[in-house]
Amino acid sequence: MISVLVVDDSVVVRRLITDALGDDPEIRVVGTAPNGKVALTKIEQLRPDLVTLDIEMPIMDGLQTMRAIRAKYARLPVIMFSTLTAAGATATLDALSAGASDYVTKPANVGSVAESIRSVREQIIPRIHALCGSRRGPLAPPARPGIAPGRAPGALHAPAAPLARPGGAALPGVVRPPNVPPGGPALAPARTAPRTGAVEVIAIGCSTGGPDALTSVIRALPASLPVPVVVVQHMPPVFTKMFADRLDRTAALSVVEAAGDLVVKPGTVYLAPGDFHLEVHRRGTEVVTKLNTGPPENFCRPAVDVLFRSVARTYGGATLAVVLTGMGQDGKRGAEQLRAAGAEIVAQDEATSVVWGMPGAVTQAGLANAVLPLGEIANHLITRTAGGRGAKSMEVTR
């Protein structure tokens, strides 16, 4: 059983979440709390495997609570509950930076309590299984070493030292599992050695844990990067604009939320907007962005597979693709087309991933030319776009 503590100041929302989680036989709500102060006491008493945490609460709000949780319990997964508003997006991004594992959005404009429960259930149950290492469910990745199904209650509760960002700053909310060395092991070898040819574009896909991982990578890239960067991070509308603006303020590169018919330029990061697939297409001598509202893929829109397929068609073997932490397998099919076109693919390693679903799927399929810890990925991108071979310490070759 996965034990969950539900924290929200609304009795109605606490009941809604509890009812939604009650449909899963492997999840048990062990307690509730109306604010962060009570939640911290109950975490100590109940030793839950995961906490759901509201942002706006009296006495001690979600952001304050998140910081307090991460200061004491580096490995306790926390899922934030957010509203689809600019204020909600800002607070959620702050919470993710403070170490929250993931977030879900509160139901809005739904017609019934049953519909609200369904909305919460579909968002949160796959995330709980992914973050707590369950093998159950179509979206759940393989269990991470040291976090096996059937573990004793509180196995994710013990304090642990967080990883370091490039430059030594702590990376909140991301901890190497016990007994797993940095960078591996990968479960399947890549089919060929890394490419050495010219790179014309970097394409990145990420999901759970992605905002913090992506921030770490983008901030480490120089303004002089000679290629464009196109990104899909699974996020809803409003959130992607706020996230792009936040990155733009702190990164050397220019970061924008992608729109239709933007000319793709070196030194610029184009982030797929929420609820739109992002593609790139050639128009004469230029490459431009295209948005569409086609069906979700892998339950997602934007989807990494859609972006990767278009990059394979447009740039072919001149692509350097990166798959960062994320739940599920989005990006795997697109990576297959990229590899067939001769592109190079880098996957984040298991030890530094919040959830190794997406990079794990690419690695296990033998599609990754290199499997790197998060702290080495930016250096690899810089080296490869400068014409070098890139980081070699964690490369997985035949």
Side-chain angles (χ1 to χ4, degrees):
M1 296 289 290
I2 299 171
S3 59
V4 176
L5 174 67
V6 176
V7 185
D8 198 293
D9 64 322
S10 167
V11 174
V12 173
V13 174
R14 293 200 300 270
R15 183 74 256 173
L16 187 151
I17 297 171
T18 300
D19 289 347
L21 297 182
D23 290 336
D24 191 299
E26 296 182 14
I27 297 174
R28 180 167 59 101
V29 175
V30 293
T32 63
N35 59 62
K37 184 176 181 180
V38 175
L40 293 175
T41 299
K42 290 203 172 185
I43 289 172
E44 188 64 33
Q45 293 172 344
L46 301 173
R47 318 291 281 189
D49 294 315
L50 180 139
V51 174
T52 71
L53 183 60
D54 187 26
I55 290 178
E56 296 181 5
M57 296 182 295
I59 302 176
M60 189 173 189
D61 66 22
L63 184 57
Q64 293 172 313
T65 307
M66 185 64 252
R67 289 170 177 154
I69 289 173
R70 197 54 72 218
K72 190 172 183 181
Y73 309 114
R75 297 178 58 194
L76 176 61
V78 178
I79 298 177
M80 306 301 299
F81 264 76
S82 175
T83 56
L84 275 172
T85 64
T90 298
T92 301
L93 291 172
D94 287 340
L96 291 171
S97 295
S101 309
D102 204 355
Y103 66 95
V104 298
T105 54
K106 291 185 176 181
N109 301 320
V110 295
S112 67
V113 173
E115 182 66 14
S116 295
I117 292 173
R118 183 197 63 78
S119 175
V120 171
R121 180 193 308 122
E122 291 181 354
Q123 290 187 79
I124 197 170
I125 286 179
R127 286 170 167 81
I128 290 175
H129 284 290
L131 289 167
C132 293
S134 171
R135 298 177 184 271
R136 179 181 177 275
L139 294 181
R144 294 169 67 188
I147 308 177
R151 65 204 178 285
L156 300 180
H157 185 277
L163 297 180
R165 294 183 188 274
L171 179 61
V174 185
V175 177
R176 289 193 179 100
N179 305 318
V180 179
L187 300 183
R191 289 196 281 245
T192 61
R195 292 179 67 257
T196 58
V199 173
E200 296 179 7
V201 68
I202 295 171
I204 302 177
C206 44
S207 182
T208 309
D212 208 54
L214 187 62
T215 297
S216 177
V217 172
I218 297 300
R219 283 180 178 172
L221 298 176
S224 59
L225 191 77
V227 301
V229 182
V230 289
V231 180
V232 164
Q233 160 68 53
H234 296 158
M235 272 187 169
V238 180
F239 281 64
T240 47
K241 179 65 167 68
M242 302 291 289
F243 184 42
D245 290 347
R246 180 174 295 214
L247 273 178
D248 187 58
R249 290 193 297 268
T250 58
L253 295 170
S254 174
V255 182
V256 299
E257 183 186 50
D261 293 322
L262 295 180
V263 176
V264 174
K265 298 179 180 179
T268 302
V269 179
Y270 301 87
L271 180 70
D275 209 28
F276 287 88
H277 292 308
L278 171 64
E279 297 181 299
V280 290
H281 296 273
R282 292 207 177 271
R283 186 177 65 189
T285 60
E286 298 175 328
V287 175
V288 297
T289 58
K290 296 291 183 183
L291 303 181
N292 72 74
T293 54
E297 296 192 21
N298 308 296
F299 309 97
C300 302
R301 189 172 63 208
V304 180
D305 277 336
V306 174
L307 175 64
F308 278 8
R309 287 198 303 266
S310 75
V311 171
R313 291 191 300 267
T314 303
Y315 289 96
T319 303
L320 175 50
V322 181
V323 182
L324 298 175
T325 175
M327 182 177 67
Q329 297 190 353
D330 190 23
K332 177 176 174 287
R333 291 190 180 93
E336 290 171 351
Q337 295 193 22
L338 283 168
R339 282 303 301 268
E344 179 181 352
I345 299 172
V346 174
Q348 185 177 348
D349 74 346
E350 183 173 10
T352 63
S353 294
V354 173
V355 175
W356 206 52
M358 287 167 53
V362 169
T363 301
Q364 290 170 314
L367 298 169
N369 297 91
V371 179
L372 299 172
L374 179 62
E376 295 183 19
I377 290 175
N379 180 65
H380 184 92
L381 302 183
I382 294 168
T383 306
R384 284 289 290 114
T385 54
R389 188 179 176 87
K392 298 179 181 181
S393 62
M394 302 310 301
E395 287 174 357
V396 181
T397 60
R398 184 173 59 189

